[in-house]
């Protein structure tokens, strides 16, 4: 029963991570533009109605794909934990999901600490790359363009997911070696 509760929590956290990745990670709203970038790097023009803007060129780095991979690993672990027939692969999947989600937590943290990793291509497309490399402007980008609450929430969700995966792996019942198991090998 405890493992099913862990599975439910891990599944909910994984879905929350995917939702947070699809939300805007950066936006130029405070600067008077309606441009936004989600974790997949996609640009949304919002209120901008300029057909000459190059959508592909102003896209941000698709770093959210790493978060989705980690969330899928967590979902697979949750499914394996919830289905008794998959008890065997559930334990290694818990550890893999914990590792993946912990590593994926570095993505939003990196975006906050170094916005050019995420927005470099976009700023380069509009000939403003130096804005991201200058420490003064980098802080303004962090304060006014990045959606820091979303990025912090995503990092927290991923770290908590990793912790729950570890807790589930540590408290998982071990398989007893029986004559039937020995005959399977």
């Amino acid at each position: 029963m405890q493992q099913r509760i862990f599975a439910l929590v891990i599944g909910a956290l994984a879905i929350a991570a995917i939702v947070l990745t699809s939300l805007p990670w950066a936006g130029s709203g405070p600067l008077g533009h309606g441009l936004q970038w989600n974790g997949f790097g996609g640009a949304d023009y919002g209120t901008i109605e300029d057909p000459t803007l190059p959508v592909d060129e102003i896209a941000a780095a698709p770093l959210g794909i790493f978060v989705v991979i980690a969330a899928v690993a967590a979902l697979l672990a949750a499914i394996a934990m919830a289905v008794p027939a998959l008890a065997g692969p559930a334990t290694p999947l818990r550890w893999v999901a914990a590792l993946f989600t912990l590593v994926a937590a570095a993505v939003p943290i990196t975006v906050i600490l170094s916005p050019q990793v995420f927005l470099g291509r976009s700023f380069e497309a509009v000939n403003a790359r130096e804005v991201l490399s200058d420490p003064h402007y980098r802080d303004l980008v962090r304060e006014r363009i990045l959606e820091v609450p979303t990025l912090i929430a995503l990092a927290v969700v991923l770290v908590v997911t990793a912790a729950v995966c570890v807790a589930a792996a540590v408290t998982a019942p071990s398989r007893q070696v029986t004559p039937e198991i020995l005959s399977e090998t």
Side-chain angles (χ1 to χ4, degrees):
M1 181 66 169
Q2 179 185 23
Q3 289 298 307
R4 288 192 179 163
I5 292 171
F6 278 136
L8 181 65
V9 171
I10 291 168
L13 288 168
I15 291 169
I18 293 170
V19 168
L20 288 168
T21 302
S22 65
L23 292 177
W25 284 13
S28 63
L31 303 177
H33 301 46
L35 196 59
Q36 294 181 327
W37 296 272
N38 64 20
F40 302 110
D44 178 17
Y45 290 120
T47 59
I48 298 176
E49 296 182 18
D50 185 356
T52 63
L53 284 175
V55 177
D56 293 336
E57 291 180 23
I58 63 168
L63 300 177
I65 194 69
F66 298 110
V67 174
V68 171
I69 290 169
V72 167
L75 284 171
L76 289 174
I79 291 167
M81 291 166 50
V83 178
L86 299 174
T91 299
L93 281 173
R94 289 179 192 102
W95 290 109
V96 168
L99 177 65
F100 279 24
T101 53
L102 193 57
V103 170
V107 170
I109 294 168
T110 301
V111 171
I112 292 169
L113 296 177
S114 184
Q116 67 267 22
V117 170
F118 181 59
L119 294 171
R121 190 170 124 194
S122 304
F123 276 65
E124 189 173 303
V126 294
N127 294 321
R129 178 82 180 192
E130 65 279 352
V131 169
L132 293 173
S133 58
D134 184 298
H136 172 70
Y137 293 118
R138 187 175 40 227
D139 290 342
L140 286 174
V141 168
R142 189 177 298 122
E143 293 168 8
R144 302 189 109 201
I145 294 178
L146 289 182
E147 298 291 342
V148 175
T150 301
L151 293 166
I152 290 173
L154 178 58
V156 168
V157 164
L158 290 168
V159 169
V160 170
T161 304
V164 174
C165 287
V166 168
V170 169
T171 61
S174 61
R175 287 181 68 181
Q176 299 293 327
V177 178
T178 62
E180 293 84 25
I181 291 175
L182 289 175
S183 66
E184 291 174 8
T185 58

